[in-house]
Amino acid sequence: MLTGQYLGINVVLKHLPTNHLVLSREDLLELKIMKDLNFEHLNSFIGLCIDPEKVYILSAFCSRGSLQDILNDNVIKLDENFKLSFIGEIMKGMDYLHKSPIKQHGRLKSSNVLVDGRWIVKITDWGLMRVRQKEYDTVNETFNALLWTAPEILRETLESSTSLSPNSWIGSQKADVYSFAIILHEIIFRLGTFYVQSDACVSSREIVMKVRSGEMPAFRPSTYEEGKQDHNLLAIMYECWDENNSKRPDFASLKSRFSSLYKTKNLNLIDNMLTMMENYSNNLEVLVEERTVQLLEEKKKTDRLLYSMMPASVADRLKSGVKVDPELYPSVSIYFSDIVSFTTMAAQSTPMQVVNLLNDLYIMFDDVIKTFNVYKVETIGDAYMVASGVPVPYDSHALEIAMMALKIREGVAAFKIQHMPNKKLQVRIGLNSGSVVAGVVGLTMPRYCLFGDTVNTASRMESTGEAMKIQVSEAMHHLLTDTKADFVMTERGTIEVKGKGHQRTYWLVGQKCDAAVA
Ligand SMILES: Nc1nc2c(ncn2[C@@H]2O[C@H](COP(=O)(O)OP(=O)(O)OP(=O)(O)O)[C@@H](O)[C@H]2O)c(=O)[nH]1
Ligand SMILES: [Mg+2]
C-alpha cells in the first residue's frame, strides 16, 4: 500500500493498471460528485493523480486499517458495543451512498470498510466503477475477491468457471446488501470471509461457483452456535443474503430497524467511551465519599481508643504533635481498689466467667466515675486506679475522690455476680493525697502514668485495708476534714508504709447526712 501526504493530510495512493486513462464526460462528472461527497462514514475521495506513467486514486488514510485486518487480528478484542457500532456505521455509510448520485458501491467487502484512529467506520473504494480495473495475480485471489459478490451478479459476469471478468460489472444496490450480509457474518462469527463448516477444505472457487449456481437451499456461510449469537442480527443477515434479491431489505429500512432494535445502546464508540469515563468518574466520587465516611469512622474509633487511654487534653496535644512533658502536680488524690479474694474466686470460675465478672464490675465503676471530676488511670486485673486533680489541677480533688469511693462501695454492695448469685462481692479501697508527676510514657503504646510516693501510699492504703472499707491516709484525712461535706471518719491506727515507716490511717465511713452512718 502506497501512502503519502496531500495538502497536509495522510493519503493512500491506489494504482490503477490503466496507463492511458481516457476519461469520458460521465467519468469526469462522477469525479466531481465524488469530490463533493462528504459524509462521516464514507472515506473521502481526494482525487486522481494522472502521471504519464501511472494513474493513482487518492483517498484519505485510515490509521486502523480495514475491518478485515481488525477482524483477523486476534489481539484485538471486540465487545458487543464495538461490533454493533461497526454494523450501524456501515449501514449509515451505505444508506448515504445509495441515496447519493453514486447510487451503489459494487465492491463492498470487509477490506473496503476502513476504520480510522477514532474507531469510526469509513467505507472506501466507492465510485468510478468503470475505471477501477483490477488484475489479480492468481485465480485464487480473483475468487477471493468474489466471496462478497451476490449470486445474480456472479451469474451475469461469470459465464463459466474459466472465463472470468470480475471487473466488468457495475453492481446494484441489492447486490451491495448481499455483500453487507457477508460482512455481517464476518463480524458476528469472526471466522474469516465466507466460513464454511466442512470436513474437506472448500476453496474460494468452489464457494463462488456454488453461490453462482443458485442451488437450493442457497449456499451461504455456515452459521453455528446460534444460541450464543444475537438473534436480531442473524435475522437481518439471513434477509440480506436472500437468494431472491427483491426480498433483501434496503439500507434505509435496515438503518431504522437497527436503531430501533438497539436504541437503548449508545453506538457511537467515542460517546460510549466518554460515558464510560463519566460513569467511572461518578463512581470515583461515590467511592471517595464512601471512603471518607469509612475514614471518619476509623478516625473516630482511634480517637475513642486514644481518649480512653489518656486524658482528652493530653490526647489532643499528642494528636497535634505537641510534646507532652512530665508535669509535677503538687496536690492530687488517688483511689485504689481491689477485689477481696479475687484469686480464689477466679480459681473457682472459668476464664470466661472471670472476664464477664470484671466486665460487669468495671461497667458499673465507669458509670459511677463519669459523674465525678476524676480520671481513670488504669485497671490492672482486678485493681482499679482513679485520680482527681490531673491533668487539669482541681481544688476539691479529695472531696471528689472520697464521694466517688463511697458511691463505688455502694455499687459493689448491690453488685450481683452472674455465675455465683449467692456470693457477695467485696472490695478494699484505699485513698491518698499528695504530689505526683504525670506524663506520657512509651512510644508504641503510649500511656498516661502517675509517679511518686503518693501513688505508692495510695496503693498501700488499699492493700492493708479491709473488705468493704475505705482506708484513707493522714494527708487525705486532713483534706477531707477541711471540706464542708461532713465526712464521718474513724481512726484505724497505724500501719507500716514501705520507706515511710508507721503512718496513722482512718476509715472513711460515710457522710453525716447518710442514713447508714446516722
Ligand atoms: N491502514 C490502512 N490500510 C489501508 C487503507 N486503505 C487500504 N488499506 C489496506 O490495503 C488493503 C487492500 O486494499 P485495496 O488495495 O483497496 O484492495 P481491496 O480492498 O482488497 O480490493 P478493492 O478495493 O476492491 O480493489 C486493505 O485490506 C487494507 O489492509 C487505509 O486507509 N489505511
Ligand atoms: Mg479496497
Side-chain angles (χ1 to χ4, degrees):
M1 183 183 54
L2 257 182
T3 56
Q5 282 248 323
Y6 177 76
L7 296 178
I9 55 166
N10 294 329
V11 292
V12 173
L13 291 96
K14 220 175 140 178
H15 176 229
L16 292 185
T18 1
N19 283 348
H20 306 288
L21 183 69
V22 183
L23 293 170
S24 65
R25 209 183 151 271
E26 261 181 13
D27 293 332
L28 290 171
L29 199 69
E30 190 169 355
L31 276 175
K32 165 87 177 76
I33 293 166
M34 284 169 75
K35 274 251 358 116
D36 293 344
L37 218 57
N38 182 16
F39 183 63
E40 196 187 4
H41 301 300
L42 284 187
N43 198 32
S44 300
F45 167 73
I46 310 292
L48 270 190
C49 171
I50 305 173
D51 197 78
E53 296 287 304
K54 282 178 180 163
V55 179
Y56 293 98
I57 294 182
L58 271 66
S59 56
F61 173 79
C62 291
S63 62
R64 298 205 189 266
S66 70
L67 180 62
Q68 190 173 42
D69 300 332
I70 290 173
L71 291 172
N72 286 341
D73 188 343
N74 291 332
V75 176
I76 303 175
K77 301 274 172 265
L78 297 176
D79 67 4
E80 196 207 359
N81 274 342
F82 264 86
K83 290 185 174 182
L84 290 177
S85 154
F86 288 154
I87 296 166
E89 290 179 9
I90 298 171
M91 286 176 178
K92 283 186 200 164
M94 288 308 293
D95 180 45
Y96 188 88
L97 192 73
H98 280 191
K99 285 175 180 159
S100 79
I102 303 292
K103 285 199 175 62
Q104 67 227 23
H105 193 294
R107 316 161 77 97
L108 181 62
K109 45 186 154 176
S110 50
S111 63
N112 282 337
V113 175
L114 300 178
V115 178
D116 77 2
R118 295 168 58 225
W119 290 97
I120 290 178
V121 159
K122 308 270 181 182
I123 293 165
T124 196
D125 289 339
W126 44 272
L128 280 182
M129 270 300 269
R130 279 173 301 275
V131 181
R132 286 179 196 271
Q133 299 292 315
K134 196 160 182 177
E135 283 161 12
Y136 294 95
D137 293 341
T138 63
V139 178
N140 199 35
E141 271 184 33
T142 316
F143 281 105
N144 278 345
L146 292 172
L147 290 175
W148 291 268
T149 312
E152 66 274 14
I153 303 284
L154 290 175
R155 283 191 284 270
E156 274 170 30
T157 54
L158 278 178
E159 267 108 54
S160 71
S161 60
T162 45
S163 83
L164 285 167
S165 73
N167 296 308
S168 61
W169 71 81
I170 299 298
S172 73
Q173 294 195 341
K174 293 294 181 187
D176 280 348
V177 174
Y178 175 91
S179 309
F180 169 69
I182 304 296
I183 296 177
L184 255 186
H185 185 274
E186 291 179 83
I187 297 176
I188 298 171
F189 292 93
R190 236 183 143 175
L191 291 165
T193 310
F194 215 115
Y195 167 78
V196 180
Q197 196 177 22
S198 156
D199 295 336
C201 179
V202 189
S203 71
S204 301
R205 184 194 199 119
E206 282 169 290
I207 293 172
V208 171
M209 296 321 285
K210 272 175 168 290
V211 173
R212 181 183 176 275
S213 76
E215 63 182 39
M216 279 307 195
F219 187 74
R220 296 293 182 265
S222 307
T223 54
Y224 76 117
E225 280 189 289
E226 286 182 26
K228 282 189 187 169
Q229 312 302 334
D230 182 329
H231 288 280
N232 292 318
L233 279 184
L234 290 177
I236 290 176
M237 185 179 75
Y238 298 139
E239 283 174 45
C240 290
W241 70 30
D242 202 300
E243 184 68 23
N244 181 348
N245 62 4
S246 64
K247 283 193 181 165
R248 296 178 202 150
D250 58 18
F251 280 108
S253 65
L254 280 174
K255 205 177 79 172
S256 57
R257 184 164 146 201
F258 186 79
S259 62
S260 67
L261 272 175
Y262 303 103
K263 61 175 174 283
T264 48
K265 291 190 185 289
N266 186 349
L267 295 178
N268 182 300
L269 284 183
I270 296 296
D271 286 352
N272 249 349
M273 283 178 193
L274 286 176
T275 319
M276 267 164 64
M277 281 166 71
E278 210 172 287
N279 288 344
Y280 181 65
S281 66
N282 285 345
N283 252 353
L284 276 185
E285 275 172 33
V286 174
L287 211 69
V288 167
E289 253 169 51
E290 277 176 18
R291 292 283 190 272
T292 314
V293 170
Q294 283 173 4
L295 187 74
L296 284 176
E297 242 349 279
E298 287 308 311
K299 208 174 150 306
K300 266 192 216 155
K301 278 187 206 162
T302 50
D303 274 4
R304 241 176 271 148
L305 195 67
L306 187 66
Y307 286 108
S308 68
M309 281 163 66
M310 55 192 69
S313 58
V314 177
D316 285 342
R317 284 168 69 186
L318 277 184
K319 262 171 63 187
S320 55
V322 179
K323 205 166 157 249
V324 183
D325 289 325
E327 229 177 297
L328 175 78
Y329 292 82
S331 185
V332 303
S333 292
I334 314 275
Y335 160 106
F336 269 97
S337 67
D338 202 85
I339 300 172
V340 177
S341 321
F342 180 74
T343 331
T344 332
M345 205 188 294
Q348 294 163 0
S349 316
T350 66
M352 199 45 97
Q353 287 170 333
V354 176
V355 172
N356 287 340
L357 160 68
L358 288 178
N359 198 35
D360 290 348
L361 184 69
Y362 290 159
I363 287 173
M364 186 269 282
F365 278 21
D366 291 347
D367 278 347
V368 172
I369 72 164
K370 252 190 266 168
T371 54
F372 294 95
N373 192 351
V374 295
Y375 170 67
K376 176 168 112 181
V377 183
E378 60 183 344
T379 52
I380 307 153
D382 60 326
Y384 200 87
M385 177 185 177
V386 183
S388 184
V390 278
V392 183
Y394 181 65
D395 283 346
S396 318
H397 52 85
L399 174 83
E400 285 296 294
I401 280 281
M403 298 285 273
M404 183 203 82
L406 289 170
K407 262 268 179 275
I408 286 185
R409 189 177 59 176
E410 229 174 75
V412 173
F415 186 80
K416 293 248 174 315
I417 306 173
Q418 274 184 45
H419 68 285
M420 295 175 174
N422 298 323
K423 206 157 184 142
K424 274 259 148 252
L425 189 78
Q426 293 190 310
V427 287
R428 281 186 309 270
I429 298 175
L431 308 180
N432 183 30
S433 299
S435 67
V436 294
V437 170
V440 177
V441 292
L443 279 176
T444 44
M445 269 278 284
R447 297 251 306 269
Y448 185 72
C449 293
L450 306 183
F451 305 94
D453 263 356
T454 307
V455 181
N456 300 340
T457 308
S459 167
R460 195 85 186 118
M461 288 300 120
E462 173 272 305
S463 59
T464 58
E466 289 175 11
M468 294 309 270
K469 289 195 171 174
I470 303 166
Q471 183 169 215
V472 301
S473 65
E474 182 88 74
M476 182 79 165
H477 176 262
H478 184 69
L479 287 177
L480 288 181
T481 26
D482 275 359
T483 64
K484 293 189 179 122
D486 284 339
F487 285 112
V488 179
M489 288 179 280
T490 55
E491 194 178 327
R492 184 207 177 165
T494 53
I495 60 154
E496 166 81 27
V497 179
K498 241 186 248 165
K500 292 215 144 194
H502 287 278
Q503 288 208 354
R504 185 173 293 133
T505 68
Y506 302 81
W507 296 125
L508 168 61
V509 184
Q511 279 181 284
K512 270 201 188 123
C513 56
D514 205 330
V517 177

